[in-house]
Amino acid sequence: MDDLAAQAVALGRQVADRAKSLHLGGNARDVAFVSRCLGRLKERQPFDAADEGGFDSVMDILERSIAAECLGSEDRFEETGYDEFGPHGETRETPVYSDRGNKLIELRSLFQDFLNSRDSVLDQVAAQRCLLGIMNR
């Protein structure tokens, strides 16, 4: 569990740093809000239950920011299989993003990794509390 907690702390710090460098949010108010919501991550404190709603709001801001960076779409070949005759696939309409949009997509992936890691740690803590409760009966 120590390694998983350390990973959550490190990922949280990376999320806070990247969000700050990208000025996440479409305006000064949102940028300041994101900074407040991620402030404890910068201080290596990712497990406060009070942050849950803030993380949800930051993810919403991130999704809106990504959508705003969409430049359009293009048709791309996507491989769906491969056999002795070569690749098989289909053409799919795929969104095209600005450089900032691609960086925001990377941030979303990092943020989701952080949230998953954080949830795993909190689940293990809850399980240990349950076990301690059983053993102390």
Side-chain angles (χ1 to χ4, degrees):
M1 181 164 61
D2 290 344
D3 290 341
L4 191 56
Q7 178 185 18
V9 169
L11 287 170
R13 201 168 33 78
Q14 290 173 31
V15 165
D17 288 344
R18 277 211 204 152
K20 182 179 180 180
S21 71
L22 289 170
H23 303 288
L24 179 59
N27 54 56
R29 188 188 82 218
D30 282 351
V31 170
F33 176 77
V34 168
S35 179
R36 284 191 307 275
C37 288
L38 301 181
R40 279 194 272 267
L41 299 183
K42 186 84 171 140
E43 301 300 320
R44 295 180 171 92
Q45 300 294 323
F47 300 114
D48 194 320
D51 292 332
E52 293 283 334
F55 292 157
D56 291 342
S57 296
V58 169
M59 187 61 88
D60 288 342
I61 290 169
L62 183 53
E63 292 293 346
R64 286 195 312 270
S65 297
I66 290 169
E69 295 294 327
C70 186
L71 303 174
S73 64
E74 66 183 19
D75 291 333
R76 292 186 184 164
F77 177 79
E78 297 211 13
E79 190 173 312
T80 58
Y82 192 88
D83 62 19
E84 66 272 3
F85 299 110
H88 297 273
E90 57 189 43
T91 302
R92 294 183 183 161
E93 187 175 354
T94 307
V96 177
Y97 294 95
S98 66
D99 288 340
R100 176 177 166 75
N102 288 325
K103 290 176 184 175
L104 291 169
I105 290 169
E106 290 173 9
L107 175 58
R108 179 181 58 193
S109 178
L110 182 66
F111 193 31
Q112 193 58 59
D113 289 347
F114 159 72
L115 292 172
N116 292 340
S117 180
R118 179 181 184 269
D119 285 345
S120 293
V121 171
L122 294 174
D123 288 346
Q124 287 188 20
V125 168
Q128 290 207 355
R129 283 185 187 148
C130 288
L131 290 174
L132 287 173
I134 291 170
M135 292 183 340
N136 289 331
R137 289 185 187 167

